[in-house]
Amino acid sequence: MTDEGERAVQAAIDGEMRLLDPAVRASPDRVRELLDPEWTEIGASGRRWDVRTVLKVTSGATVSAESPVEVSEMSGVVLAPGVVHLKYFSDNQGRRAWRSSLWRLTETGWRMFFHQGTLTG
């Protein structure tokens, strides 16, 4: 991977980790800065989310500061200039899932465009 590609992947990882931070999740404005206006998610629950619906619940303590989401096996690849695909495993207080997200570079920086979580047994 080129230096530019490595920087793009790292920017997406940094954004992903910020979105998992309880302090960021408690602030709809900070979450909005990281999500593309066209963002959608297919959650581990099977529910479909968009920016409007997720902002209603992000301030509802979905991630505990005392028990943060554990992330492992994070990897990323540049799919095209300005587009990064991340894959990782998360454990949120025993709720374990494989996760995948697409990040794209916009005029305001890297923003998540799509996310999907799939629960594991």
Side-chain angles (χ1 to χ4, degrees), residues 62-103:
T62 56
V63 175
S64 165
E66 293 78 36
S67 184
V69 175
E70 295 177 30
V71 173
S72 60
E73 301 184 48
M74 177 81 75
S75 66
V77 63
V78 175
L79 297 178
V83 180
V84 171
H85 178 221
L86 295 181
K87 297 181 288 186
Y88 64 99
F89 184 78
S90 70
D91 186 333
N92 185 4
Q93 300 178 25
R95 185 179 169 124
R96 299 160 39 109
W98 286 105
R99 301 200 171 268
S100 175
S101 56
L102 293 174
W103 287 78

Side-chain angles (χ1 to χ4, degrees), residues 14-33:
D14 292 346
E16 191 85 37
M17 297 307 292
R18 283 194 309 273
L19 281 170
L20 293 171
D21 182 327
V24 172
R25 291 176 78 90
S27 169
D29 288 338
R30 290 176 73 187
V31 170
R32 192 179 293 110
E33 289 173 2

Side-chain angles (χ1 to χ4, degrees), residues 10 63 108 112 114:
Q10 190 59 54
V63 175
T108 59
M112 184 188 285
F114 176 78

Side-chain angles (χ1 to χ4, degrees), residues 38-59:
E38 297 178 51
W39 175 85
T40 58
E41 173 179 336
I42 301 169
S45 65
R47 183 173 176 180
R48 186 175 183 278
W49 300 88
D50 60 22
V51 174
R52 183 184 55 79
T53 57
V54 82
L55 288 175
K56 289 180 181 178
V57 300
T58 54
S59 60

